[in-house]
Amino acid sequence: MGLLAFVATASAEPSFYTARVAPIFDRHCTACHGAEKQKGKLRLDAFEHVLRGAESGAVVKPDDVKGSELFRRITLKKDDDEVMPSDGKPLLAPEEIKIIELWIAAGASATKPLADFPTAPVPKAARAAAAALAPDWRPRSAEIAAIAKATGLKLVPRSQVATDGLVVRTASAPARCDDAALAKLAPIAPLIVEAELARTKVTDAGLKTLAQLPNLRYLDLTRTAVTSEGLGALGALRHLEALNLTETAVDGPGLAKVKAWPALKRVWSYGSKADAAAAAP
Ligand code: HEC
């Protein structure tokens, strides 16, 4: 068989890893385990990284589903400290877990063809559209770049799926982010799904801006000056799932209000006033 024939065959039949497994990692894991961040010294953005494993060693053991740390992590309960994805991000769907299970059980191969997995669940094409977290950001990339430049904020795609929205990050200079910088996000408000604002200068005034981000799901306000009063504005966010209030002045009554919001699944409040009051004898 000539080289050309080989190439043709290879592209006609994608591997199970490329077609089914890698998209799951891209969508749920590479924001923390990719080129930019490597939590636990683990990368999941290319096959060789996946098999190389983490700080603690291999996370995928070919043919050994139960012995694979990666599988253990994705099948923990949602409130387990070790569950992946971490930080209250949505867990994998049962079909996605099944796909990873079948892949490991069949030797965790990079090349085994899709056709070798006749019983694997097929993610419905419609699912992606139905599960869009935000409008496609790509047509607005020039505007996004201009806003990033004007504010000093990093505006990065949440995953390789263009309708998964953008994450607001402050990189290494959180103190440069204040209420005025957040206000400049208004033109791209629907695109933002996560805001990592720990240790920024954001105050209650900035929360009014954040309340205008209709698709915001995840918000980290660790060690900011926000108060219970200001948080009330965020009650309007229909998709907010996870809120980090570690080491803020948010008190018990404020926290109780927050916990009653319907979409909210996880709240962190260690070292806040609410936490101190709860710990007092
Ligand atoms: C929001 C960030 C975040 C996301 C998203 C995330 N992880 Fe993690 N992951 C971490 C952090 C932080 C650690 C290190 C702390 C720990 O081990 O729990 C970690 C550790 C791990 C470990 C253990 C590494 C070791 O040292 O053995 C595995 C395995 C893992 N993640 C798999 C995944 C998988 C699979 C996904 C996607 C389904 C995922 N993670 C998504 C943050 C994340």
Side-chain angles (χ1 to χ4, degrees):
M1 185 167 68
L3 180 63
L4 212 66
F6 172 76
V7 171
T9 322
S11 61
E13 198 167 31
S15 75
F16 185 69
Y17 178 79
T18 307
R20 297 280 186 269
V21 179
I24 298 174
F25 292 152
D26 287 344
R27 175 153 220 185
H28 295 280
C29 319
T30 55
C32 297
H33 300 290
E36 199 194 334
K37 290 188 183 177
Q38 293 100 37
K39 296 290 169 81
K41 296 225 164 71
L42 175 64
R43 285 181 71 157
L44 297 173
D45 55 331
F47 179 79
E48 58 275 21
H49 295 306
V50 175
L51 279 218
R52 189 172 303 135
E55 211 161 18
S56 65
V59 297
V60 171
K61 296 196 179 141
D63 304 310
D64 182 4
V65 174
K66 291 231 168 73
S68 291
E69 177 68 4
L70 185 145
F71 190 76
R72 188 183 75 84
R73 295 293 193 111
I74 59 172
T75 48
L76 292 168
K77 293 258 173 328
K78 79 167 192 294
D79 53 1
D80 193 299
D81 281 345
E82 292 192 329
V83 72
M84 289 294 143
S86 71
D87 296 2
K89 313 238 163 157
L91 300 190
L92 300 197
E95 315 84 90
E96 293 173 316
I97 293 176
K98 188 74 198 169
I99 286 168
I100 291 177
E101 179 183 348
L102 292 169
W103 171 66
I104 297 175
S109 159
T111 52
K112 228 176 219 179
L114 197 49
D116 282 12
F117 295 82
T119 64
V122 179
K124 293 182 199 79
R127 261 177 73 92
L133 304 184
D136 189 337
W137 59 265
R138 289 170 302 185
R140 307 188 57 187
S141 50
E143 193 181 1
I144 293 165
I147 293 175
K149 193 155 180 237
T151 56
L153 293 167
K154 290 182 94 180
L155 299 169
V156 294
R158 186 182 168 278
S159 78
Q160 292 175 16
V161 179
T163 51
D164 266 358
L166 302 177
V167 181
V168 179
R169 287 195 178 134
T170 56
S172 50
R176 278 172 56 196
C177 173
D178 56 13
D179 296 338
L182 288 185
K184 296 197 178 112
L185 297 174
I188 54 163
L191 301 182
I192 294 165
V193 295
E194 296 185 8
E196 299 177 356
L197 302 176
R199 290 172 286 275
T200 57
K201 293 210 175 106
V202 172
T203 70
D204 285 353
L207 296 184
K208 293 207 183 100
T209 304
L210 294 172
Q212 308 298 317
L213 306 179
N215 295 316
L216 191 65
R217 289 173 186 250
Y218 174 89
L219 175 59
D220 186 356
L221 295 168
T222 297
R223 281 215 232 161
T224 56
V226 301
T227 70
S228 295
E229 203 180 328
L231 279 181
L234 301 182
L237 292 173
R238 289 283 150 261
H239 298 291
L240 189 64
E241 283 175 23
L243 179 60
N244 195 332
L245 300 170
T246 300
E247 294 181 42
T248 59
V250 173
D251 57 11
L255 191 62
K257 251 196 296 173
V258 163
K259 285 189 169 162
W261 295 343
L264 205 60
K265 295 189 190 130
R266 294 201 68 180
V267 185
W268 293 261
S269 58
Y270 312 107
S272 68
K273 272 196 189 157
D275 189 40

